[in-house]
Amino acid sequence: MTAKNAFYAQSGGVTAVINASACGVIETARQHPEQIANVYAGRNGIIGALTEDLIDTSQESDAAIAALRYTPSGAFGSCRYKLKSLEANRREYERLIEVFKAHDIGYFFYNGGGDSADTCYKVSQLSETLGYPVQAIHVPKTVDNDLPITDNCPGFGSVAKYIATSALEASFDVRSMAKTSTKVFVLEVMGRHAGWIAAAGGLIEDHDMPVLVLFPEIDFDQERFLAKVKAMVDAHGFCTIVVSEGAKYPDGRFLAEQGTRDAFGHAQLGGAAPVVANLVKEALGYKFHWAVADYLQRAARHLASKTDVEQAYATGRAGVEMALAGESAIMPTIERLSSDPYQWQVGKAPLSEVANVEKFMPREFITDDGFGITAACKNYLLPLIQGEDYPPFENGLPRFVTLKNAPVAKKLDVFEI
Amino acid sequence: MTAKNAFYAQSGGVTAVINASACGVIETARQHPEQIANVYAGRNGIIGALTEDLIDTSQESDAAIAALRYTPSGAFGSCRYKLKSLEANRREYERLIEVFKAHDIGYFFYNGGGDSADTCYKVSQLSETLGYPVQAIHVPKTVDNDLPITDNCPGFGSVAKYIATSALEASFDVRSMAKTSTKVFVLEVMGRHAGWIAAAGGLIEDHDMPVLVLFPEIDFDQERFLAKVKAMVDAHGFCTIVVSEGAKYPDGRFLAEQGTRDAFGHAQLGGAAPVVANLVKEALGYKFHWAVADYLQRAARHLASKTDVEQAYATGRAGVEMALAGESAIMPTIERLSSDPYQWQVGKAPLSEVANVEKFMPREFITDDGFGITAACKNYLLPLIQGEDYPPFENGLPRFVTLKNAPVAKKLDVFEI
């Protein structure tokens, strides 16, 4: 068997641990030089493949690759670029195969969410058709935790740990201030369609904190919401509200879309948090504070879940091992064997069943009133945030790695995307 | 010498380490039972003293008091309640002395910022006049770092570490995404009058991140700001903007005050971050993300600076030791002996020189163009964020302490505040 090169790319929004998957892919590949000659990474994701802008990872030291395990973000650059359907844009898929052929690439590792699973699947199919078979493996990544089949997605556990910890800390703060000042704290979290991240905020209930969660899956009922806030403040003197950026009214409008205009008449882009905070203020008069975590939550490698880091690395490693075992058109998955004690193993799912399927919060994970999480949900979430895995610090700040990202010499004509 | 009781209260906005100061006060007091019989804490700050709502800290175990060291927020409750001047409201000051007398309190430890230093000073003066002398010690606390004389304020180092780390992590994220997506990330931080917290964001410049800081001390110049953002994005492909909540236009209006109205005509409370992000979008067309850290930053005990925790504890301990040595009307301070290696000791300042003085960023800490921090500023900031001091975690989340906060039996008539 002649050694082939591998291609690896990061896709979509990055996470605190996607580089841990990259680390798993590259370290494992380096252990099999007889089968994988080199790993080329796409600069800025799949765009790097289309434009033949490849990064030669062999230029990186073992220490630099090891440091990816504790470096957030996408070390090779990511992109938001969804390939159109095979029918609509066969040209791009054919270009991918052309680039793979030119650089003797036999393995395609694509690290992303639902869209990239779809791309990965199509590459595996088309490469067969075009007579240059490429083993295409999708390595799962998404803070949104919305991929099917896998019990959870690498990237999610760390953001869940960050949101639960931050909500807990801020709730301690609000509790201190509530007598004469802030009574309601609103924290906006990511999750445009699925409420998994918001659900993590609900975990602080078991730390005696009154918390109310607004999920994208549950239509916002303003009257019932305000009654619940009032009941919580009456009972506890304060409350914390965790609102998903995707929370919406029954008519489908996001809470964040208020049609507000600034002094110049421009549409004002706001968040859901200030909207919710102002609603509470108007109706109940409570002093509030609000925060929008945005990128802080998904970049917070300093508070990563050890479990998440291990799973991110393991799915990267498993992807390579599965490829070496001859597999293609699959995604390594996390299989939960038991919740308490938490035991898991790596499984696999066919990409045909992964691509373009979104997994939402099951209704039984949300309390009947729609404002909290159930015991079943806590049982699901808690294992995923277990353990700490602090990055090294130097001179007060985390010591992350920035790779050299040396280019591979181009062999093909320019391709316009 | 007969043992007297001590009174301790937390004032104003809480921090990640104000409880470490409480820990320093109570642990040190417990080591001197011959002089300090018991420490009574004010429930919700000075309001607890006025209403004779005292907490008996002797009911708390040594372990619970030790756990204060790693628990954010104010364990006894804080309040935003500024006593009026002695002339305008002598009644409240006299009530304080009355309560202290009724509970045999000879020591007053007040843990707060500039306003509470003023209250503390007045208590020391009035108690002499009224013939019931109380030794009044102000223990410094503020994330804003705006107290005079002391080199820095306990509470600031931790928020600085959090903001610098978060800005660094988010900058890694944006750098990954910039090719096809987000090019500008805006992070709003606290500091209504002084730009110390915003300055901490400037530290990431030395980690090769293009960063631009908007200080309250520098009038916002929209044209120069946009030119600087464009230059950074042209040079690096992205940039991070750290904006203080107190950033303002030359006419004194805060950036956050946009006079925006929602669909119902209500004034819309927004933050400075979305305003800045939208300005950039309108003028330059860059895709952006923004975050408002709000309480997350000052509650983030999970990322406290070890230096800050040590200084918070040390000033609490020193306050008690100074009181036992007969001092009054003073505040323990942090004296910097050298920056590299960082060496410090506890000093003291007379409250007459502390009360109602605000310390702003010196102009020489801000770059000539007004958008960054100088080497002198970095030299000042870096020692304050050194070291990590992680709280214990249990089942995925920090294990903080919630005290019993048992009340002391009241002896006086009700007092209306």
Side-chain angles (χ1 to χ4, degrees):
Chain A
M1 185 174 181
T2 319
K4 291 261 185 188
N5 294 314
F7 175 80
Y8 168 82
Q10 301 175 319
S11 177
V14 295
T15 78
V17 302
I18 183 173
N19 282 336
S21 289
C23 179
V25 166
I26 297 170
E27 287 191 344
T28 309
R30 286 186 177 189
Q31 289 160 15
H32 298 278
E34 71 292 349
Q35 288 160 285
I36 301 179
N38 196 353
V39 177
Y40 294 145
R43 193 184 308 275
N44 301 309
I46 202 70
I47 287 179
L50 289 168
T51 59
E52 202 194 356
D53 196 352
L54 307 181
I55 290 165
D56 181 1
T57 69
S58 73
Q59 303 293 311
E60 311 292 345
S61 68
D62 284 349
I65 296 300
L68 289 178
R69 189 173 169 124
Y70 54 77
T71 297
S73 81
F76 308 107
S78 184
C79 67
R80 292 203 178 278
Y81 187 83
K82 183 167 161 54
L83 272 71
K84 296 197 188 75
S85 73
L86 208 47
E87 298 70 38
N89 200 349
R90 190 178 174 92
R91 173 177 167 269
E92 287 189 341
Y93 291 93
E94 289 181 350
R95 168 69 176 188
L96 287 180
I97 307 301
E98 187 188 13
V99 170
F100 293 165
K101 203 167 173 179
H103 292 276
D104 201 24
I105 288 165
Y107 309 98
F108 174 48
F109 299 106
Y110 205 23
N111 204 170
D115 286 349
S116 59
D118 181 54
T119 299
C120 194
Y121 183 46
K122 291 193 176 115
V123 165
S124 75
Q125 291 180 301
L126 187 65
S127 69
E128 295 278 354
T129 315
L130 295 178
Y132 183 77
V134 171
Q135 288 173 251
I137 309 280
H138 186 251
V139 180
K141 169 248 55 167
T142 167
V143 292
D144 291 332
N145 202 39
D146 58 358
L147 289 171
I149 307 179
T150 186
D151 182 65
N152 60 289
C153 302
F156 171 67
S158 292
V159 72
K161 186 183 186 83
Y162 176 85
I163 291 302
T165 298
S166 298
L168 179 62
E169 291 176 331
S171 297
F172 265 77
D173 191 310
V174 180
R175 188 174 65 179
S176 309
M177 303 304 297
K179 175 73 178 176
T180 60
S181 181
T182 306
K183 288 185 171 51
V184 172
F185 176 69
V186 184
L187 173 60
E188 177 173 336
V189 304
M190 288 180 155
R192 181 67 50 158
H193 302 122
W196 295 104
I197 299 175
L203 288 172
I204 67 171
E205 182 187 17
D206 290 344
H207 290 244
D208 291 328
M209 291 300 170
V211 61
L212 190 156
V213 183
L214 297 175
F215 301 95
E217 288 91 345
I218 304 286
D219 286 345
F220 181 65
D221 180 333
Q222 186 164 321
E223 203 174 321
R224 287 182 50 249
F225 164 73
L226 290 169
K228 178 91 178 180
V229 171
K230 182 170 189 309
M232 282 188 160
V233 174
D234 284 348
H236 302 275
F238 73 104
C239 81
T240 293
I241 299 165
V242 179
V243 55
S244 166
E245 61 177 342
K248 50 186 194 301
Y249 293 102
D251 65 6
R253 264 183 318 136
F254 289 115
L255 264 60
E257 289 175 57
Q258 289 290 293
T260 53
R261 303 273 154 186
D262 67 14
F264 310 100
H266 300 137
Q268 174 85 357
L269 294 182
V275 169
V276 168
N278 277 291
L279 273 179
V280 169
K281 173 74 178 177
E282 294 278 344
L284 303 170
Y286 301 142
K287 190 171 182 316
F288 62 79
H289 264 254
W290 56 267
V292 176
D294 195 67
Y295 276 8
L296 304 194
Q297 70 200 285
R298 74 182 204 192
R301 183 58 184 83
H302 74 269
L303 189 59
S305 152
K306 186 167 193 283
T307 300
D308 191 34
V309 174
E310 287 170 355
Q311 292 180 342
Y313 185 90
T315 47
R317 184 183 58 208
V320 174
E321 288 170 350
M322 289 174 186
L324 294 180
E327 302 266 14
S328 186
I330 56 154
M331 174 180 88
T333 59
I334 306 296
E335 293 179 352
R336 183 180 300 222
L337 303 175
S338 81
S339 288
D340 188 15
Y342 182 49
Q343 294 182 307
W344 59 277
Q345 67 186 17
V346 175
K348 64 184 170 191
L351 287 186
S352 57
E353 294 176 24
V354 173
N356 298 312
V357 180
E358 254 179 306
K359 183 173 73 177
F360 302 102
M361 289 269 290
R363 188 58 184 87
E364 62 269 25
F365 275 17
I366 301 174
T367 51
D368 287 345
D369 72 1
F371 296 124
I373 60 173
T374 60
C377 185
K378 293 172 188 172
N379 189 49
Y380 170 78
L381 291 173
L382 278 172
L384 307 182
I385 66 169
Q386 297 299 310
E388 294 69 56
D389 188 62
Y390 303 115
F393 276 71
E394 195 172 274
N395 209 17
L397 290 175
R399 181 167 54 72
F400 299 135
V401 71
T402 295
L403 301 180
K404 287 183 282 191
N405 285 351
V408 175
K410 296 193 181 194
K411 300 180 178 182
L412 301 172
D413 291 339
V414 168
F415 180 86
E416 298 293 335
I417 57 171
Chain B
M1 186 174 181
T2 320
K4 290 261 184 189
N5 293 314
F7 175 80
Y8 168 82
Q10 301 174 319
S11 178
V14 295
T15 79
V17 302
I18 184 173
N19 282 335
S21 289
C23 179
V25 167
I26 297 170
E27 288 190 344
T28 309
R30 286 185 176 188
Q31 289 159 15
H32 297 278
E34 71 292 351
Q35 287 160 286
I36 300 179
N38 196 353
V39 177
Y40 295 144
R43 192 183 308 275
N44 301 310
I46 202 71
I47 287 178
L50 289 168
T51 59
E52 204 195 354
D53 195 353
L54 307 181
I55 290 166
D56 182 0
T57 70
S58 73
Q59 303 293 313
E60 311 292 344
S61 68
D62 285 349
I65 296 300
L68 288 177
R69 189 171 169 124
Y70 54 78
T71 298
S73 81
F76 308 108
S78 185
C79 67
R80 293 204 178 275
Y81 187 83
K82 183 167 160 55
L83 271 71
K84 296 199 188 75
S85 72
L86 208 48
E87 298 70 39
N89 201 347
R90 190 178 173 93
R91 173 178 166 269
E92 287 189 341
Y93 291 93
E94 289 181 349
R95 168 69 176 190
L96 287 180
I97 307 301
E98 187 189 14
V99 170
F100 293 165
K101 202 166 173 180
H103 292 276
D104 201 25
I105 288 165
Y107 309 98
F108 174 49
F109 299 105
Y110 204 24
N111 204 170
D115 287 348
S116 59
D118 181 54
T119 300
C120 195
Y121 182 46
K122 290 191 177 116
V123 165
S124 75
Q125 291 179 303
L126 187 65
S127 69
E128 296 278 354
T129 314
L130 295 178
Y132 183 78
V134 171
Q135 287 174 251
I137 310 280
H138 186 251
V139 180
K141 168 248 55 167
T142 167
V143 293
D144 292 331
N145 202 40
D146 58 358
L147 290 171
I149 307 178
T150 187
D151 182 64
N152 60 288
C153 303
F156 171 66
S158 292
V159 71
K161 187 182 186 84
Y162 176 86
I163 291 301
T165 299
S166 298
L168 179 63
E169 291 176 331
S171 297
F172 265 77
D173 190 311
V174 180
R175 189 174 65 180
S176 309
M177 304 303 297
K179 176 72 178 176
T180 61
S181 180
T182 306
K183 286 184 173 52
V184 172
F185 176 70
V186 184
L187 172 60
E188 176 173 336
V189 305
M190 288 180 156
R192 180 65 53 155
H193 303 120
W196 295 104
I197 298 175
L203 289 171
I204 67 171
E205 183 187 18
D206 290 344
H207 291 244
D208 292 328
M209 291 300 170
V211 61
L212 190 158
V213 183
L214 297 176
F215 301 96
E217 289 91 345
I218 305 286
D219 287 345
F220 181 65
D221 180 333
Q222 186 164 321
E223 203 174 322
R224 288 182 50 250
F225 164 73
L226 290 169
K228 178 92 179 180
V229 171
K230 183 171 188 310
M232 281 186 161
V233 174
D234 283 348
H236 303 274
F238 73 103
C239 82
T240 292
I241 300 165
V242 180
V243 55
S244 166
E245 61 177 343
K248 51 187 194 300
Y249 293 102
D251 65 5
R253 263 183 318 134
F254 288 115
L255 265 60
E257 290 174 56
Q258 289 291 293
T260 53
R261 303 271 153 188
D262 67 13
F264 311 99
H266 301 136
Q268 174 86 357
L269 295 183
V275 169
V276 168
N278 277 291
L279 273 179
V280 170
K281 173 74 177 176
E282 294 277 345
L284 304 170
Y286 301 142
K287 190 172 182 314
F288 61 79
H289 264 254
W290 56 267
V292 176
D294 195 67
Y295 276 8
L296 303 194
Q297 70 200 286
R298 74 181 202 192
R301 183 59 185 82
H302 73 270
L303 189 59
S305 152
K306 185 166 193 281
T307 301
D308 191 33
V309 175
E310 286 170 356
Q311 293 179 340
Y313 186 90
T315 47
R317 184 182 57 207
V320 174
E321 288 169 350
M322 288 173 186
L324 294 181
E327 301 266 15
S328 186
I330 56 155
M331 175 180 87
T333 59
I334 306 296
E335 292 179 353
R336 183 182 299 222
L337 302 176
S338 82
S339 286
D340 188 15
Y342 182 48
Q343 294 182 307
W344 59 277
Q345 66 186 17
V346 175
K348 64 184 170 192
L351 288 186
S352 57
E353 294 176 25
V354 174
N356 298 314
V357 181
E358 253 178 309
K359 183 174 72 177
F360 302 102
M361 288 269 290
R363 187 59 185 84
E364 63 269 25
F365 275 16
I366 301 174
T367 52
D368 287 345
D369 72 1
F371 296 125
I373 59 173
T374 60
C377 184
K378 293 172 187 172
N379 189 48
Y380 170 77
L381 291 173
L382 278 172
L384 308 181
I385 67 168
Q386 297 299 310
E388 294 70 55
D389 189 61
Y390 302 115
F393 276 70
E394 196 173 274
N395 209 15
L397 289 175
R399 179 167 55 73
F400 298 136
V401 70
T402 295
L403 301 180
K404 287 183 282 190
N405 284 351
V408 175
K410 296 193 180 193
K411 299 180 176 181
L412 300 172
D413 291 339
V414 169
F415 180 86
E416 298 294 334
I417 57 170

